[in-house]
Amino acid sequence: MRLVIARCQVDYAGRLTAHLPMATRLLLVKADGSVSVHSDDRAYKPLNWMSPPCWLTEEPGTWTVANKAGEKLVITLEEVVHDSAHEMGAEPGLVKDGVEAHLQALLAEHITTLGEGYSLVRREYPTAIGPVDILCRDSGGTTVAVEIKRRGEMDGVEQLTRYLDLLNRDPLLAPVQGVFAAQQIKPQAKTLAEDRGIRCVTLDYDALRGMDSDEFRLF
C-alpha cells in the first residue's frame, strides 16, 4: 500500500463531475489498483475514489486515474509532504460473527428465497481478493454473487462491487449479478447498491431462526 500526504486538487469526470479545491489530503494507492482521496474529518470514508480495474498514470505534478468506462480522477499535486510504500502481506479475510455466519448458512440452505428457480453453486466461493459469501444461479442461469452483512453499510457494497468486478472477468461466470443482504441496510448503502445495479434484500434473522427448513421469509 502506498501512502501519500499532499496538498492537492482533485477533479472527477464521469457520470457526473466533482471538484475538490486545493487542500492537504491523504492519497491511498492499494495493491488492487484502487486509488482513494481522504481528509482528516470523514472517518474511513474517502472524499473521492476510483475502484479497480483502473490505471494510475503519474506525471510531474499530476496523477490521472482512469477506468475502462472512461471515467477520470485527476489529482493536481502542489506539494508532497510524505510518500511511502508498505508491504501489507496476505489478507486472511474478514472473520464473520455468529449472526453473519448463521445468516449465510440459512440463506444457502433456502436459496430459493432470493427467487424462484435459484440454485446454490457454493458458499465461500474463493477469489483472489477473498471469498464471496454465496455464489448461486437464478432461474435463467445467470450467476449471482451474494454478500451478507449483519448491518449493511457502504463498505459492504464496495466489497461486493470489487467481487463483481473480478468475477465478471471470468468468461465461465459472466455476466454476474449482485445481491446485498443484511438485517439492516442504511439508506446511503441502498442508494449506492441500486446505482450499481445491485439488488438489496433485508433479512429478519429472528424469524429465520425460528422457521421450518422449508420456509424462509424476508422483508
Side-chain angles (χ1 to χ4, degrees):
M1 180 181 293
R2 184 179 175 190
L3 309 176
V4 177
I5 299 175
R7 182 168 172 79
C8 61
Q9 169 185 301
V10 182
D11 293 281
Y12 168 81
R15 287 172 295 178
L16 46 80
T17 59
H19 171 74
L20 296 172
M22 195 68 69
T24 301
R25 300 184 176 93
L26 169 64
L27 311 176
L28 291 184
V29 184
K30 294 186 178 180
D32 64 4
S34 65
V35 178
S36 56
V37 181
H38 298 260
S39 67
D40 201 26
D41 63 351
R42 286 172 58 91
Y44 62 90
K45 295 181 180 179
L47 295 164
N48 214 325
W49 69 93
M50 190 74 79
S51 299
C54 59
W55 303 269
L56 169 61
T57 302
E58 294 186 53
E59 298 177 344
T62 305
W63 287 11
T64 302
V65 189
N67 63 18
K68 59 184 178 182
E71 299 170 311
K72 288 187 177 181
L73 192 67
V74 179
I75 304 172
T76 304
L77 304 170
E78 182 179 84
E79 179 187 8
V80 176
V81 179
H82 175 85
D83 188 344
S84 64
H86 306 269
E87 178 57 52
M88 305 292 287
E91 170 55 51
L94 178 66
V95 178
K96 293 181 176 293
D97 65 21
V99 173
E100 289 182 8
H102 198 193
L103 280 171
Q104 183 189 118
L106 285 170
L107 193 54
E109 183 179 355
H110 304 279
I111 197 65
T112 54
T113 300
L114 297 177
E116 192 66 31
Y118 270 65
S119 60
L120 179 69
V121 175
R122 68 169 289 176
R123 293 172 56 189
E124 299 290 333
Y125 184 86
T127 76
I129 57 175
V132 177
D133 287 342
I134 290 177
L135 196 73
C136 56
R137 296 190 187 276
D138 66 15
S139 59
T142 299
T143 308
V144 180
V146 185
E147 179 64 25
I148 299 170
K149 298 292 185 186
R150 184 163 57 87
R151 179 177 300 169
E153 301 187 14
M154 292 179 69
D155 57 348
V157 178
E158 293 289 357
Q159 182 180 359
L160 179 54
T161 299
R162 291 192 293 272
Y163 289 143
L164 291 172
D165 285 342
L166 187 63
L167 293 171
N168 272 302
R169 299 180 211 171
D170 186 340
L172 297 178
L173 298 176
V176 184
Q177 301 296 319
V179 171
F180 187 53
Q183 288 180 272
Q184 298 177 345
I185 301 178
K186 290 193 172 182
Q188 300 94 327
K190 184 177 181 181
T191 298
L192 180 62
E194 292 175 347
D195 181 66
R196 297 182 177 181
I198 295 170
R199 180 159 67 101
C200 291
V201 174
T202 305
L203 304 173
D204 185 335
Y205 177 54
D206 290 334
L208 296 179
R209 288 188 300 172
M211 287 188 171
D212 295 332
S213 62
D214 61 348
E215 295 182 27
F216 204 88
R217 181 168 64 94
L218 48 84
F219 54 178

